Amino acid sequence: MLNHLNCPNSLLDLSTPQVMGILNVTPDSFSDGGKFTHFEHALEQVERMIADGATIIDIGGESTRPGAAEVNEADELARVIPVLKAIKQRFDILVSIDTSKASVMSAAIAAGADIINDVRALQNDGCLAAVANSKIPVCLMHMQGLPSTMQNKPSYENVICDIMMFFKQRIEACVSAGIARERIILDPGFGFGKTMAQNLNLLANLSVFRELGLPILAGLSRKSMIGNLLNRDVEQRLAGSLSTAMLAAQQGAHIIRVHDVQETVDVLKVLKAVTAHR
Ligand code: 8Y4
């Protein structure tokens, strides 16, 4: 039913799950030790992710891991915009910008961003208007609480129903602000204010969100739920991450956000080959 996402300058095929490669440009990112803050290294990383089969590159200049400090606007702009411009100049690839600040959204849109990825689902001041003033799609992610405190006693009546209600409210807010429904991607926000049981429940029931008829994005790569489940440090979570990618895709996720692009693309090829024989 959902066959593509309409980005103004190109159509993203969603008939088969797509891989979004993570490019971190935060100096304190504990996953990559900060080495990608260097511009040239960031571009090499992008080139490799494209060669490995990523169709979207997600650039984040604000660390949203639990307990992370907030980043000021000037630093975030300085980290994200030059990398965005260089990628759009050198490569034919969709770029999403992971930000919750209206000023960064507007600057990124002006610099050629294809998608806004907001873990706060456009709830900060000016964000609805910033996206409404463009033609590009937006990913609305669910988070309970804020990164500094979100893992301290997350609580839901029913995690699936509560997130479904949140999606319906945010879709309505977007449509009222002038963001067409066709421009919206939904993401339940694995690890963002959720216990292990709530994350597992979400992954087991991800297909429920298909009833909203919008593309679904899932981000589980290297997250704590995998580390805690398997008792693995962050650099030893590849097998766990790949299994969650397979599960999410099998439940109908359209976009999988990952660090390990080559391995995830292989996993999705296997799924696609088998699905063709159903
Ligand atoms: C190791 C490396 C352990 C990274 C944890 C992490 C999502 C997202 C993030 C997501 C969407 C992260 C920006 C958290 N997660 N955006 N962003 N969906 N749409 N942690 O799940 O990757 S940052």
Side-chain angles (χ1 to χ4, degrees), residues 152-201:
N152 136 36
K153 291 208 191 297
S155 127
Y156 297 86
E157 185 137 358
N158 174 309
V159 70
I160 308 295
C161 298
D162 290 8
I163 293 174
M164 187 67 90
M165 277 199 310
F166 173 82
F167 283 157
K168 289 177 179 167
Q169 286 162 6
R170 294 313 299 159
I171 292 165
E172 182 52 40
C174 284
V175 171
S176 298
I179 301 167
R181 198 182 154 84
E182 294 66 37
R183 291 169 59 193
I184 299 173
I185 301 165
L186 300 172
D187 182 340
F190 287 97
F192 284 84
K194 282 124 191 149
T195 63
M196 172 68 79
Q198 288 156 357
N199 283 313
L200 294 173
N201 186 343

Side-chain angles (χ1 to χ4, degrees), residues 187-231:
D187 182 340
F190 287 97
F192 284 84
K194 282 124 191 149
T195 63
M196 172 68 79
Q198 288 156 357
N199 283 313
L200 294 173
N201 186 343
L202 263 182
L203 184 53
N205 295 287
L206 194 64
S207 63
V208 169
F209 300 115
R210 288 155 77 176
E211 83 180 49
L212 293 170
L214 296 176
I216 297 166
L217 191 154
L220 295 117
S221 184
R222 300 185 189 172
K223 284 188 177 175
S224 304
M225 65 175 283
I226 295 167
N228 294 337
L229 184 68
L230 305 177
N231 193 21

Side-chain angles (χ1 to χ4, degrees), residues 30-31 58 64 98 117 119 139 141 187 189-190 192 217 219 221-223 234 237 257 259:
F30 82 153
S31 184
D58 188 45
T64 34
D98 153 28
N117 174 26
V119 300
C139 177
M141 200 197 76
D187 182 340
F190 287 97
F192 284 84
L217 191 154
S221 184
R222 300 185 189 172
K223 284 188 177 175
V234 71
R237 297 177 188 172
R257 180 180 179 274
H259 300 85

